[in-house]
Amino acid sequence: MRRRWYYFKRMLQADRLFVVQMIGNIIGMIQYAGRWIVLAVVCVAALYLGRELCAGAWKDFYENYAVRIADDVVRGFLPAWKEDEGTAFYLESRKNGSRRTKEYEEIFGIENENGVLRAEWIADREQNQGVYGDDRGKNAWGSGNADENAQDRTKTESSEEWGNSGKSGTGENGSSQNEKTTLAGLLAAGTFNTGNSGIILEKLNDYDYLMKKFYNVHPTTTAGRDLMRAENFLAADLSIEKNADIPQILIYHTHSQETYADYPENSEADVIHLGECLAKLLREKGYNVYHDESVYDYRNGKLDRSAAYTYALDGISGLLQKYPSIEVVLDVHRDGVSDGTRLVTEIDGTETAKIMFFNGTSMSPDGPIEYLPNPNLKENLAFSFQMQLLAAGKYPGLTRKIYLKGLRYNEHVRARSALIEVGAQTNTYAEAKAAMVPLADLLDQVLTGE
């Protein structure tokens, strides 16, 4: 009995020693890791702070190598760090040794920030200043002298096949698609009326005329002749069959916290209530609309748009997997402008906020952004252009020029995707709500082909 007790005590002592050794090892590992973490933090801080000491040629070298190392160290310790596509593009451009960092700094930001600067830039564009990005910005249109031979050039160029969910292009017998469902058919039949918009239909295939009349192109992207072709935009068949039994249209809000001038006095004066208004109008027209009211730009009790498009993509991708019948995706926003700017017009005697269609091109001035592919880019452009042209004839003054910028803005998820800016922070909710009636009508016309 005494011997058994002796062995039992020795086992307890051994177990205690093992536990003590294990705790000591864990503490040692923490101390070891802590030293390396502290060293990494010091190095990263030194690398970031060191940029202030560099100038001239050394500055480019430092940004492209020292800061690049610091970025990699940070991402190494924070593998779950979420970057929005603008951040990723900015960092990638810096890593590749690009000297265009200054030009890319705005694309690094969120599309609605720096509203005053952006509003002033758009105003300049609408006064025909600057370039629209063809051949990387070589063709200026400040003089307003369009190339009269451009129409002939575009007619002789070979036209690319457009997907359009299998609806456009030619049929098995070689005949063209059903012209009754395209704007091109309406134009050919002479039944399309531009009203008093001042648009000259015969010049739509003139690239210079098209870009000057319909688009504002941000300098961080490019919009070349091979892509911006009105004949292809018009020929695209974007019609769908109405079916109230299955989800067909998705409305969501990347920036759900955007509000109008009468908020918070009017608790409904925000884009989420506006989206529901649009959803109801479309449901009345026979569509099944899913309105996603999820919040993608508010994190940890505060406004955070640093990764809103990333969070939104996660959210809508799940919805599109759950409801594969959805063919139309609309991201409804309100713009940010200078306090003295009022984006308002009169439609049928009602003060109405102006709207703006916004297309991400997935292209920088140097060409396609490879890691942001958009297989639906051409259809996205056709979708916004058809609504813009219809608005010019039926609701003159309702739309601003289509805004093109270099990233993707989640418009790649469906061929019929659109980002729509409805008024700005200076508009009242009533003005924004009034714009939903003509917008629903424009969407219905394009989606029915009538």
Side-chain angles (χ1 to χ4, degrees):
M1 180 66 71
R2 289 180 178 178
R3 182 171 293 181
R4 290 180 180 176
W5 176 246
Y6 171 77
Y7 284 121
F8 180 70
K9 289 197 297 184
R10 292 291 301 270
M11 289 174 62
L12 289 177
Q13 290 173 351
D15 288 341
R16 285 198 298 269
L17 180 61
F18 175 75
V19 171
V20 171
Q21 288 176 339
M22 284 295 297
I23 293 174
N25 289 336
I26 292 172
I27 293 174
M29 290 172 62
I30 293 174
Q31 290 175 337
Y32 179 79
R35 284 195 293 269
W36 279 107
I37 291 172
V38 170
L39 179 60
V41 170
V42 171
C43 290
V44 168
L47 288 170
Y48 280 133
L49 294 174
R51 66 173 63 174
E52 302 299 328
L53 303 177
C54 297
W58 280 101
K59 185 172 183 179
D60 286 340
F61 176 83
Y62 194 87
E63 287 286 332
N64 293 328
Y65 293 96
V67 178
R68 172 181 175 178
I69 293 171
D71 290 338
D72 289 337
V73 170
V74 171
R75 278 193 292 277
F77 279 102
L78 300 172
W81 181 260
K82 275 183 175 287
E83 296 173 344
D84 77 335
E85 58 187 34
T87 306
F89 175 57
Y90 176 78
L91 294 175
E92 192 68 24
S93 69
R94 185 170 66 191
K95 281 186 176 183
N96 292 336
S98 172
R99 293 181 176 272
R100 309 186 69 156
T101 303
K102 289 295 183 182
E103 294 183 31
Y104 292 155
E105 280 182 350
E106 188 173 345
I107 208 169
F108 171 53
I110 307 304
E111 135 256 2
N112 261 340
E113 292 184 354
N114 299 320
V116 174
L117 179 63
R118 179 162 168 250
E120 291 175 350
W121 182 85
I122 291 178
D124 288 342
R125 281 293 167 113
E126 291 179 347
Q127 292 299 318
N128 297 339
Q129 299 175 14
V131 298
Y132 44 57
D134 180 43
D135 299 327
R136 300 186 186 179
K138 292 180 181 178
N139 294 335
W141 51 277
S143 63
N145 295 324
D147 184 351
E148 298 298 335
N149 295 322
Q151 185 173 356
D152 294 332
R153 282 201 308 273
T154 55
K155 285 182 178 179
T156 58
E157 293 174 356
S158 61
S159 178
E160 300 179 54
E161 287 292 329
W162 284 42
N164 296 316
S165 304
K167 290 187 177 182
S168 64
T170 56
E172 294 180 358
N173 60 358
S175 61
S176 62
Q177 62 184 343
N178 182 3
E179 291 188 343
K180 292 182 180 180
T181 61
T182 65
L183 272 174
L186 296 177
L187 292 171
T191 57
F192 183 80
N193 181 12
T194 60
N196 59 356
S197 64
I199 292 174
I200 305 172
L201 295 177
E202 292 76 12
K203 296 188 69 174
L204 287 180
N205 286 331
D206 180 329
Y207 172 80
D208 300 277
Y209 178 82
L210 175 73
M211 299 307 297
K212 181 177 178 180
K213 196 74 176 178
F214 288 90
Y215 293 95
N216 276 319
V217 185
H218 194 272
T220 48
T221 190
T222 185
R225 297 176 185 273
D226 57 336
L227 178 65
M228 308 305 293
R229 303 183 63 177
E231 58 185 325
N232 288 339
F233 295 162
L234 294 171
D237 182 4
L238 299 169
S239 61
I240 65 175
E241 294 293 330
K242 292 182 180 181
N243 188 341
D245 297 326
I246 55 175
Q248 295 181 291
I249 299 175
L250 169 63
I251 297 175
Y252 74 106
H253 312 275
T254 301
H255 296 159
S256 65
Q257 303 303 298
E258 291 174 336
T259 58
Y260 289 94
D262 44 338
Y263 185 89
E265 291 80 9
N266 179 1
S267 61
E268 295 186 356
D270 57 45
V271 293
I272 292 183
H273 284 89
L274 188 68
E276 184 58 27
C277 174
L278 177 61
K280 289 179 180 178
L281 290 169
L282 291 172
R283 289 173 189 136
E284 291 172 0
K285 293 181 181 295
Y287 301 96
N288 186 314
V289 183
Y290 185 100
H291 183 204
D292 176 21
E293 299 184 10
S294 302
V295 175
Y296 299 116
D297 58 344
Y298 199 78
R299 289 289 184 272
N300 300 319
K302 62 180 181 179
L303 185 67
D304 180 10
R305 291 179 178 166
S306 61
Y309 283 96
T310 302
Y311 292 128
L313 180 58
D314 291 343
I316 65 174
S317 294
L319 290 172
L320 294 175
Q321 288 179 354
K322 185 177 181 180
Y323 305 112
S325 57
I326 291 176
E327 297 182 78
V328 183
V329 178
L330 307 174
D331 187 6
V332 178
H333 293 243
R334 70 109 176 97
D335 207 352
V337 298
S338 59
D339 291 338
T341 300
R342 287 271 291 145
L343 302 174
V344 66
T345 187
E346 188 175 298
I347 304 293
D348 295 329
T350 302
E351 293 289 294
T352 304
K354 293 189 176 185
I355 64 176
M356 181 175 73
F357 300 112
F358 184 114
N359 282 109
T361 62
S362 294
M363 288 190 288
S364 75
D366 298 319
I369 303 173
E370 299 297 339
Y371 71 93
L372 290 177
N374 182 357
N376 294 314
L377 174 59
K378 295 174 181 178
E379 290 79 6
N380 294 163
L381 291 168
F383 192 37
S384 60
F385 180 77
Q386 288 191 16
M387 287 190 286
Q388 184 83 359
L389 186 59
L390 286 168
K394 194 169 184 179
Y395 305 105
L398 173 65
T399 58
R400 302 153 69 193
K401 291 183 180 180
I402 300 171
Y403 189 73
L404 303 182
K405 201 171 180 181
L407 298 183
R408 191 170 59 180
Y409 300 96
N410 296 336
E411 292 180 297
H412 64 295
V413 295
R414 287 291 186 269
R416 302 164 187 83
S417 292
L419 192 159
I420 307 171
E421 303 271 10
V422 183
Q425 85 281 4
T426 54
N427 287 100
T428 65
Y429 180 65
E431 293 166 347
K433 189 175 180 180
M436 295 300 94
V437 176
L439 176 59
D441 183 44
L442 295 173
L443 286 163
D444 186 46
Q445 287 189 69
V446 172
L447 295 176
T448 59
E450 297 176 357

